[in-house]
Amino acid sequence: MALKIITDSAADLPDSVKEKYHLHVIPTPVTINGTDYFDGETVFPKEFYEKQRAGADISTYHINSHMFEEHFRPFAKEGDQVIYICFSTGLAGTMNAALLARKQLLEEFPEFDLTILDSKCAALGFGLLVYYALRMQECGAGQEEIIQAVEYHKSHMKHIFTVATLEYLYKGGRLSRTGKMAGDILNIRPILEVTEEGSLKAVEKVRGRNHSLTRCVERAAEKNPDLKNQIVGICHGDDYESLEKVKKMLEIKCGCTRFMESYVGCAIGAHTGTGIIGIVFLDETSPYLTKYKVMPEV
């Protein structure tokens, strides 16, 4: 019996982390021009954004209970303890499907020890949540303390995003037609954050792409003045130029030196479009990461 931490592809972790920890990642489904693909398995971020730029018809749906059963079953057969850190219930119905799969599997494997945790996080904020759990396990933490740490970290994980276009927020019903038209005319770009319930919310509107990137950095510094001692995640929708701008601003304004970088995957990117940029971090020093000396890793 072994303790396994697993997640789904909405965590948007860089390949280096997934490979180092042999992380089991359940792929999120995405439909492109009527064909089903699986994020990180049959479609990858750069290809996904190229299709999006070309005008492909894209939609997403959450992992269903049958898919979860297929992924959970090998662990149940091995008698492993599993912690599955799940995409936010504020953004998808993933967790309900996972709970149903767990219930069904327990009829066949009544001793299966599967804990399902709602991340309440998105994109690389979700990824950092998983990464910290993996690092804690690597440093000797047990099941219960890892679960406690996930609950703590998700309540302190901050996400600040902005988008390059309003088109996909409008298509996804997050912006009215009038709001989109006015925003396009005035070159308005929203600043988005993840709420305590784990959903995306526009918290500010600014004019121009460069100003929106600057405000993201400023808001990050306001939420944690000690960012230089944090691992700061920066995620992007196939826009390395903007990522590098944000990274440089964080280095200058906040003294940041430790970054984790990744693409925003299909689960979020389908609804925000190319050019999304996000900054994710903890708003205070974690006692769990301090105890296990996790922070210096990146």
XYZ file of all heavy atoms in Angstrom, residues 26 38 62-74 94 96-102 104-105:
211
model
N -5.446 13.062 -14.582
C -6.640 12.664 -15.324
C -6.956 13.771 -16.330
O -7.133 14.924 -15.941
C -7.824 12.439 -14.374
C -7.451 11.414 -13.294
C -9.064 11.984 -15.145
C -8.481 11.269 -12.178
N -8.450 15.119 -25.354
C -8.170 15.085 -23.923
C -6.913 15.901 -23.643
O -5.845 15.634 -24.198
C -8.031 13.644 -23.431
C -9.329 12.891 -23.506
C -9.640 12.138 -24.625
C -10.261 12.974 -22.488
C -10.854 11.475 -24.724
C -11.470 12.317 -22.570
C -11.773 11.567 -23.693
N -16.914 18.422 -18.223
C -16.097 17.875 -17.142
C -15.924 16.364 -17.262
O -16.681 15.678 -17.948
C -16.652 18.264 -15.772
C -17.998 17.681 -15.455
N -18.177 16.344 -15.149
C -19.230 18.253 -15.365
C -19.449 16.118 -14.886
N -20.114 17.256 -15.018
N -14.925 15.865 -16.597
C -14.652 14.429 -16.553
C -15.856 13.737 -15.933
O -16.337 14.147 -14.870
C -13.390 14.158 -15.698
C -12.196 14.962 -16.232
C -13.059 12.663 -15.674
C -11.072 15.130 -15.228
N -16.381 12.701 -16.586
C -17.575 12.045 -16.045
C -17.210 10.891 -15.113
O -16.036 10.516 -14.982
C -18.517 11.593 -17.167
C -17.904 10.537 -18.074
O -17.194 9.642 -17.614
N -18.183 10.629 -19.374
N -18.204 10.321 -14.444
C -17.946 9.298 -13.425
C -17.318 8.043 -14.023
O -16.477 7.397 -13.371
C -19.239 8.948 -12.687
O -20.198 8.420 -13.576
N -17.688 7.697 -15.252
C -17.091 6.521 -15.897
C -15.595 6.727 -16.114
O -14.784 5.817 -15.875
C -17.787 6.236 -17.227
C -17.159 5.125 -18.003
N -17.208 3.801 -17.593
C -16.440 5.132 -19.163
C -16.558 3.047 -18.457
N -16.078 3.824 -19.417
N -15.216 7.920 -16.571
C -13.800 8.237 -16.754
C -13.057 8.135 -15.429
O -11.948 7.581 -15.345
C -13.639 9.644 -17.329
C -14.205 9.842 -18.717
S -14.139 11.610 -19.184
C -15.053 11.595 -20.728
N -13.671 8.680 -14.378
C -13.035 8.605 -13.069
C -12.860 7.158 -12.608
O -11.815 6.797 -12.055
C -13.847 9.384 -12.029
C -13.534 10.843 -11.993
C -14.517 11.792 -12.251
C -12.256 11.296 -11.689
C -14.239 13.146 -12.208
C -11.963 12.645 -11.642
C -12.952 13.568 -11.907
N -13.850 6.352 -12.802
C -13.736 4.945 -12.418
C -12.540 4.288 -13.096
O -11.797 3.525 -12.478
C -15.018 4.190 -12.775
C -16.116 4.323 -11.739
C -17.191 3.258 -11.924
O -16.866 2.062 -11.809
O -18.345 3.647 -12.195
N -12.352 4.567 -14.375
C -11.234 3.976 -15.116
C -9.894 4.396 -14.519
O -8.947 3.599 -14.495
C -11.302 4.402 -16.585
C -12.452 3.766 -17.370
C -12.426 4.162 -18.833
O -11.898 5.263 -19.147
O -12.915 3.382 -19.669
N -9.816 5.639 -14.047
C -8.557 6.133 -13.492
C -8.357 5.726 -12.039
O -7.221 5.500 -11.600
C -8.492 7.655 -13.631
C -8.192 8.103 -15.034
N -6.909 8.249 -15.509
C -9.022 8.399 -16.071
C -6.952 8.643 -16.768
N -8.226 8.741 -17.142
N -9.445 5.624 -11.272
C -9.328 5.246 -9.865
C -9.122 3.746 -9.674
O -8.494 3.316 -8.708
C -10.593 5.654 -9.095
C -10.800 7.132 -8.926
C -12.083 7.637 -8.676
C -9.747 8.035 -8.988
C -12.296 9.000 -8.499
C -9.945 9.394 -8.824
C -11.230 9.879 -8.577
N -9.671 2.958 -10.573
C -9.697 1.502 -10.384
C -8.313 0.876 -10.159
O -8.152 0.035 -9.258
C -10.397 0.827 -11.572
C -10.569 -0.690 -11.411
C -11.365 -1.275 -12.570
N -12.729 -0.735 -12.560
C -13.703 -1.223 -11.820
N -13.459 -2.262 -11.019
N -14.899 -0.701 -11.859
N -7.291 1.231 -10.943
C -5.968 0.614 -10.697
C -5.442 0.848 -9.287
O -4.808 -0.037 -8.697
C -5.071 1.282 -11.751
C -6.007 1.687 -12.841
C -7.262 2.100 -12.131
N -16.783 18.649 -11.852
C -15.844 17.532 -11.770
C -15.959 16.756 -10.467
O -15.951 15.527 -10.453
C -14.406 18.065 -11.938
O -14.340 18.872 -13.117
C -13.411 16.926 -12.068
N -18.403 16.308 -8.287
C -19.591 15.467 -8.135
C -19.424 14.149 -8.875
O -19.814 13.086 -8.378
C -20.828 16.206 -8.642
C -21.263 17.319 -7.715
O -20.956 17.301 -6.529
N -21.957 18.305 -8.257
N -18.844 14.211 -10.070
C -18.601 12.993 -10.844
C -17.582 12.105 -10.147
O -17.714 10.874 -10.124
C -18.125 13.353 -12.251
N -16.557 12.713 -9.556
C -15.539 11.941 -8.837
C -16.142 11.259 -7.613
O -15.828 10.087 -7.316
C -14.388 12.844 -8.421
N -17.007 11.949 -6.896
C -17.654 11.365 -5.715
C -18.559 10.197 -6.103
O -18.626 9.185 -5.392
C -18.449 12.430 -4.976
C -17.626 13.504 -4.247
C -18.526 14.645 -3.785
C -16.864 12.902 -3.064
N -19.235 10.324 -7.232
C -20.080 9.230 -7.707
C -19.237 8.013 -8.055
O -19.589 6.870 -7.708
C -20.891 9.685 -8.925
C -21.805 8.630 -9.557
C -22.806 8.082 -8.548
C -22.542 9.231 -10.767
N -18.114 8.252 -8.719
C -17.218 7.146 -9.067
C -16.682 6.473 -7.804
O -16.578 5.239 -7.741
C -16.065 7.661 -9.926
N -16.337 7.275 -6.821
C -15.847 6.729 -5.547
C -16.909 5.839 -4.910
O -16.611 4.727 -4.445
C -15.471 7.869 -4.603
C -14.989 7.413 -3.223
C -14.689 8.632 -2.346
N -14.218 8.228 -1.039
C -15.004 7.927 -0.010
N -16.337 7.995 -0.157
N -14.489 7.572 1.143
N -19.334 4.215 -6.301
C -19.494 2.986 -7.076
C -18.330 2.027 -6.845
O -18.528 0.814 -6.707
C -19.635 3.337 -8.560
C -20.942 4.069 -8.872
C -20.971 4.691 -10.261
O -19.935 4.997 -10.846
N -22.173 4.899 -10.785
N -17.124 2.549 -6.771
C -15.963 1.691 -6.562
C -15.934 1.084 -5.164
O -15.458 -0.041 -4.973
C -14.672 2.481 -6.812
C -14.245 2.621 -8.273
C -13.079 3.588 -8.398
C -13.852 1.265 -8.866
